[in-house]
Amino acid sequence: MQATTEQLLWMYEKMVEIREYEETMAKVYLEAKLPPKIQKGLAFDIGAGPVPGEMHLAAGQEPVAVGVCAHLRRDDTVVGAHRPHHFAIAKDVDLNAMTAEMYGKATGLGRGKGGHMHLFDPAVKFSCSGIVGAGAPQACGAALAARKLGTDAVAIAFFGEGAANQGAFHEALNLAALWKLPVVFVVEDNKYGISVEKSASTAIASNADRAVAYGMPGVLVEKNDAVAVFEAAGEAVARARRGEGPTLIEVKTDRYYGHFQGDPETYRPKGEAKALRQHDPIPALGALLRSRDLLDDESDAALRTRVSARVQAAYDFGRNSPYPEPQDALLHVFAD
Amino acid sequence: MSTTTTTRRLTMAQAISEATAQEMARDPRVFVMGEDVGKYGGIFSATTGLLEQFGPERVMDTPISETGFMGAALGAAAEGLRPISELMFVDFFGVCFDQIYNHIAKNHYMSGGACKYPLVITTGIGGGYNDAAQHSQCLYSIFAHVPGLKVVVPSNAYDAKGLMTTAIRDDNPVIFLYHKGIMGLSWMSYFEGSTNEVPEAQYTIPFGEACVVREGSDVTIVTLSQMVQKSMLAADQLATEGISAEILDLRTLVPLDRAAVLASVAKTGRLLVADEDYLSYGLSGEIAALVAENLDTLRLKAPVRRLAVPDVPIPFSHPLEQFAIPQVDNIVASVRGLMTFKLD
């Protein structure tokens, strides 16, 4: 499946947006978390600053999100994992409300009750979970609902290679294949489950090989490349929409930051992250666009200005929004 | 109830199946899934006849894969369907609790109210038939402990039908726990008080309204599920000794009818909690704490007493199990004990 000009440009712009979003977050996140502004003796204070708590950034993993979401409609469901920003942005989650949520503000997607690992935007059918592997069965449910409601909507479950060793992953694959559900399971292999290398956690090199055990196609995308992901996902999404059942895709991708911000990354060879950036998928797609005369310096600059305005506006919105009233903690345990 | 309403004597299993069938007929969004819910009709007959009436698209046998289908129930509920997902024995919650307590219970809250998850998890509870430690527990307190789940524990067929209808119509996740020993199964002895007159027409029973199933003046027995039936037999016996026991059937743990507990204890001045869950850190402690917190207005004639499984796994052997799970005689003895106090 060939990407159209429009799709290529969309993927490029979204990747630029995701990257700027994550790089901005990396800076904002550190505000007020370092000495001398924190308790004496600490090197870092996770609970301090305008964006407190854990923070898992996805810079480097943009191709997985845009290559898949380029095929999706508003009524398709995406279930992401604990590192969710790239998926959310690629699924057109409201950027202002998403950012406000990370600031813990009343205007956030969850009114400040979820935070960055628990983003819910029902308008575009996006959700995610901080529990590794948990989203895979939930995507099966969304797909089951689509079939029962008679639509051709599909569901995507995104998760890391670490999740593929969870029971939830294996149960979901069996269920999806058994019931021929319109689901695509997408494994982001960024090589590490926090600190543990895939070779130390998984007995086989590619999770795509596991697909055959469940009676579904398994596809390995060996390059961290938006077009390569686009092509693999195009087949899988089309197959799902035709009612022919699920597909498992694994993408070899790169994580530029630590598992979470503040991760000392002692488990990584020195310079690894820097070396990975030599194969940055954003300039790679930019070069492809330029080779086809779809992008030049002027249009690239215009695109980046446009993206920057969106991203910075979202951060301003988050920062300047009001906090919820403390007693609002008691609301929303149950629906009325 | 209007005089034209037809009623029949139904077992609790029949009442639950009927409530589900009527709601499925009324609302096409409702469907059932779980292990052996189809051709078998549910191991405890909670889905009998549904497959024949609604077909395999709406009554789905699942693989033995509770994490898979509980997660799928959540995913389908998020899309606007109303799944009923059966966990065959509550004891099996250990293989799927992440989906239940980390997601089904919390996603509405974490979404700031933006997402709704209207689903019912039905599950069999209770012992008394020698099924040992992994198939005999009640565990409702664990579900009630986690914010975001409504917890329903009926004691008889009439309540079960009305509460099940309410559960399916509720926009929140509901855990509906039926005790195997009051389902009226043909292969397990049961307390006959649980089989009663049930209207054929649909009706609802609101959550959070406990029911005084027997009025009395000397002592309040706060209880639920099968233990209601045991308490009724105990009360008959106590009446012959001149002791008048009031029995309060909680019916739902979340929401809990605190006012009904306090009103009854205010009337009798004596409280026994009769529970089939484990003693410590559970329902009986919750009810005792409620009374303790209201001692500024309540006047007790005796200390609060609790009957529950004495913090041991449910044993297999008949004499061991009968000892571990509170029986009618234990209720009678506990009430007699309460009557010997004279607190000022």
Side-chain angles (χ1 to χ4, degrees):
Chain A
M1 184 177 292
Q2 287 268 308
T4 63
T5 297
E6 197 188 5
Q7 286 169 322
L8 288 171
L9 285 168
W10 181 87
M11 289 197 289
Y12 182 69
E13 182 163 338
K14 277 291 175 191
M15 288 210 290
V16 170
E17 182 173 336
I18 293 164
R19 182 65 57 84
E20 179 164 342
Y21 193 89
E22 298 298 64
E23 287 177 346
T24 305
M25 182 55 82
K27 290 195 199 93
V28 170
Y29 182 70
L30 281 182
E31 284 177 29
K33 283 194 179 62
L34 299 172
K37 291 187 176 168
I38 56 175
Q39 187 182 347
K40 209 171 167 202
L42 294 184
F44 176 82
D45 185 354
I46 187 170
V51 179
E54 286 184 56
M55 180 53 65
H56 312 80
L57 298 180
Q61 301 182 194
E62 296 91 348
V64 189
V66 301
V68 175
C69 292
H71 300 282
L72 301 186
R73 305 185 310 231
R74 206 174 158 82
D75 66 336
D76 292 323
T77 294
V78 166
V79 186
H82 60 286
R83 191 184 309 286
H85 303 173
H86 52 328
F87 307 133
I89 292 170
K91 188 64 173 67
D92 283 330
V93 166
D94 184 314
L95 205 61
N96 285 1
M98 164 177 153
T99 310
E101 184 60 26
M102 298 182 209
Y103 279 90
K105 297 300 179 70
T107 53
L109 285 172
R111 305 182 203 228
K113 287 180 166 145
H116 109 104
M117 282 188 280
H118 315 106
L119 303 169
F120 296 84
D121 190 350
V124 293
K125 296 187 184 270
F126 180 85
S127 67
C128 55
S129 167
I131 305 295
V132 169
Q138 298 167 11
C140 291
L144 180 65
R147 195 175 69 198
K148 285 183 182 294
L149 295 168
T151 78
D152 66 347
V154 302
I156 312 292
F158 286 110
F159 41 84
E161 88 289 342
N165 294 319
Q166 278 282 23
F169 166 85
H170 295 276
E171 292 194 24
L173 260 68
N174 180 59
L175 210 60
L178 180 74
W179 289 347
K180 257 182 138 184
L181 297 175
V183 189
V184 182
F185 301 100
V186 182
V187 185
E188 287 188 293
D189 177 9
N190 66 12
K191 200 170 137 188
Y192 296 101
I194 306 189
S195 67
V196 177
E197 277 196 59
K198 189 184 186 186
S199 58
S201 71
T202 307
I204 55 173
S206 168
N207 282 304
D209 292 345
R210 288 174 156 170
V212 69
Y214 297 100
M216 70 175 76
V219 183
L220 176 63
V221 179
E222 290 189 83
K223 208 171 158 208
N224 190 32
D225 176 78
V227 175
V229 176
F230 178 92
E231 287 170 359
E235 288 281 330
V237 170
R239 182 178 135 82
R241 268 203 222 292
R242 289 194 304 265
E244 292 170 15
T247 302
L248 173 64
I249 298 173
E250 176 158 270
V251 184
K252 301 278 183 198
T253 190
D254 296 324
R255 190 185 82 199
Y256 291 172
Y257 291 112
H259 165 69
F260 39 57
Q261 296 307 100
D263 175 0
E265 297 186 69
T266 48
Y267 51 87
R268 286 232 247 213
K270 267 206 168 358
E272 185 188 79
K274 203 174 164 189
L276 294 176
R277 286 180 187 260
Q278 300 303 307
H279 309 283
D280 192 329
I282 299 177
L285 183 56
L288 177 79
L289 290 169
R290 283 166 191 266
S291 75
R292 296 190 192 171
D293 292 327
L294 298 171
L295 190 75
D296 56 21
D297 287 351
E298 196 185 330
S299 60
D300 198 10
L303 176 150
R304 285 171 187 273
T305 303
R306 195 162 68 228
V307 163
S308 209
R310 275 206 300 272
V311 171
Q312 299 313 319
Y315 277 92
D316 288 345
F317 179 80
R319 191 182 287 276
N320 297 327
S321 284
Y323 280 108
E325 294 298 323
Q327 64 272 23
D328 288 354
L330 301 177
L331 303 177
H332 306 117
V333 176
F334 291 111
D336 296 332
Chain B
M1 203 182 300
S2 88
T3 49
T4 55
T5 304
T6 310
T7 72
R8 303 84 7 106
R9 268 184 88 73
L10 293 188
T11 65
M12 204 162 93
Q14 289 168 333
I16 296 167
S17 298
E18 183 170 278
T20 306
Q22 289 177 342
E23 201 55 19
M24 287 177 79
R26 197 185 73 96
D27 185 345
R29 298 171 300 175
V30 180
F31 71 101
V32 177
M33 63 178 161
E35 293 152 9
D36 306 288
V37 299
K39 272 184 259 179
Y40 200 102
I43 294 298
F44 304 111
S45 300
T47 55
T48 298
L50 299 181
L51 177 69
E52 293 76 6
Q53 194 176 343
F54 298 101
E57 270 297 310
R58 292 184 71 195
V59 184
M60 306 176 74
D61 275 326
T62 63
I64 303 167
S65 199
E66 289 86 353
T67 287
F69 68 79
M70 287 300 167
L74 178 155
E79 304 286 333
L81 298 183
R82 303 182 85 84
I84 299 168
S85 189
E86 174 144 299
L87 179 64
M88 188 188 293
F89 287 77
V90 76
D91 315 69
F92 302 169
F93 86 101
V95 296
C96 60
F97 208 40
D98 176 61
Q99 291 294 337
I100 298 173
Y101 91 107
N102 258 332
H103 296 89
I104 290 170
K106 294 175 184 166
N107 279 9
H108 176 72
Y109 185 82
M110 292 197 297
S111 74
C115 301
K116 288 181 182 173
Y117 302 90
L119 63 92
V120 181
I121 296 173
T122 52
T123 188
I125 63 169
Y129 63 102
N130 311 95
D131 217 358
Q134 298 172 340
H135 294 75
S136 299
Q137 301 167 93
C138 284
L139 300 180
Y140 32 68
S141 290
I142 288 178
F143 294 87
H145 185 65
V146 177
L149 301 172
K150 295 191 178 181
V151 179
V152 180
V153 197
S155 68
N156 64 84
Y158 177 86
D159 285 357
K161 181 173 174 181
L163 291 167
M164 184 66 183
T165 306
T166 304
I168 301 169
R169 293 181 186 178
D170 200 293
D171 277 344
N172 295 282
V174 178
I175 316 295
F176 189 99
L177 305 105
Y178 52 76
H179 196 296
K180 292 158 271 176
I182 48 175
M183 287 291 267
L185 304 174
S186 61
W187 49 277
M188 183 186 295
S189 73
Y190 63 97
F191 287 79
E192 289 175 5
S194 59
T195 297
N196 54 12
E197 289 292 317
V198 178
E200 206 168 283
Q202 276 196 299
Y203 57 96
T204 57
I205 294 175
F207 290 170
E209 287 189 10
C211 181
V212 177
V213 293
R214 180 181 176 118
E215 287 197 36
S217 53
D218 294 326
V219 57
T220 296
I221 303 174
V222 170
T223 186
L224 76 175
S225 191
Q226 190 194 53
M227 205 61 80
V228 171
Q229 304 302 336
K230 289 181 179 173
S231 298
M232 294 290 276
L233 298 178
D236 286 343
Q237 209 171 310
L238 289 163
T240 65
E241 302 170 20
I243 301 171
S244 168
E246 176 149 299
I247 300 172
L248 187 68
D249 180 354
L250 291 173
R251 301 202 290 194
T252 64
L253 295 190
V254 181
L256 178 64
D257 191 349
R258 294 182 168 85
V261 173
L262 295 174
S264 180
V265 174
K267 181 170 103 177
T268 63
R270 297 181 184 89
L271 171 63
L272 172 70
V273 186
D275 182 14
E276 196 187 314
D277 210 343
Y278 301 120
L279 176 68
S280 297
Y281 309 104
L283 168 68
S284 63
E286 186 64 32
I287 300 298
L290 170 67
V291 169
E293 284 169 339
N294 286 277
L295 285 176
D296 53 338
T297 53
L298 281 177
R299 226 180 117 79
L300 290 185
K301 297 171 187 163
V304 171
R305 284 288 178 262
R306 301 188 284 156
L307 263 180
V309 174
D311 296 334
V312 296
I314 311 294
F316 164 68
S317 170
H318 191 70
L320 300 178
E321 189 195 32
Q322 292 294 303
F323 175 83
I325 296 175
Q327 305 298 333
V328 175
D329 288 349
N330 303 115
I331 298 170
V332 170
S334 293
V335 170
R336 280 191 199 127
L338 276 171
M339 298 306 293
T340 64
F341 287 97
K342 280 203 168 53
L343 291 186
D344 290 325

